[in-house]
Amino acid sequence: SSGINADYMGSIPEFILKFYEEDLTRLGTPAPTEAQVEEVEEDYEVEKILEKRVVKKGKIEYMVQWKNFEDPADYTWEPTNNLEAVRDLIEKFEKDLEAKKDVSTIFNMG
């Protein structure tokens, strides 16, 4: 019957339709899960990278302080691939980290 297509469209979750409508270049890429869409909230802006840790299989995660979220309870650990957009902040953090390391080795000499 010709109704199949409409039913199919109706069964696609709203958030997936929105995902593709927002950016048509996404067509042909895998649809996100609902959880992923929630993570992509546009109003989350990285204020600062605070910490770094290595998790399983040598993956690196950074602790992020979000703009307008001052409470440390709101800081989150994010994998590097979530932070592509703020690569410059990560590089700055890494530089500062190196500098701190250098300083502490100087002080630990004696």
Side-chain angles (χ1 to χ4, degrees):
S1 78
S2 62
I4 289 174
N5 210 1
D7 289 347
Y8 178 68
M9 283 300 289
S11 72
I12 297 176
E14 181 67 30
F15 74 90
I16 289 183
L17 292 173
K18 218 163 101 188
F19 174 78
Y20 290 117
E21 280 167 10
E22 276 170 14
D23 182 354
L24 292 175
T25 62
R26 291 170 171 164
L27 287 170
T29 62
T33 63
E34 199 147 8
Q36 281 173 317
V37 170
E38 281 165 15
E39 278 172 29
V40 180
E41 293 291 295
E42 292 305 314
D43 49 353
Y44 282 102
E45 222 183 303
V46 176
E47 172 90 37
K48 202 168 170 191
I49 306 288
L50 301 167
E51 301 261 355
K52 173 187 177 179
R53 69 179 180 190
V54 179
V55 290
K56 51 180 175 285
K57 292 188 183 143
K59 274 189 157 152
I60 293 171
E61 291 184 347
Y62 293 94
M63 183 181 271
V64 171
Q65 177 185 346
W66 302 98
K67 257 201 176 88
N68 307 321
F69 291 88
E70 302 305 317
D71 186 348
D74 292 321
Y75 300 167
T76 59
W77 286 101
E78 299 292 334
T80 322
N81 56 351
N82 280 8
L83 299 170
E84 288 296 318
V86 294
R87 196 164 271 280
D88 51 334
L89 286 180
I90 288 178
E91 281 168 12
K92 180 180 182 310
F93 172 81
E94 293 285 355
K95 275 204 187 82
D96 292 350
L97 207 61
E98 283 305 310
K100 277 186 198 138
K101 254 193 222 147
D102 293 347
V103 169
S104 64
T105 50
I106 293 164
F107 284 116
N108 290 339
M109 296 283 283

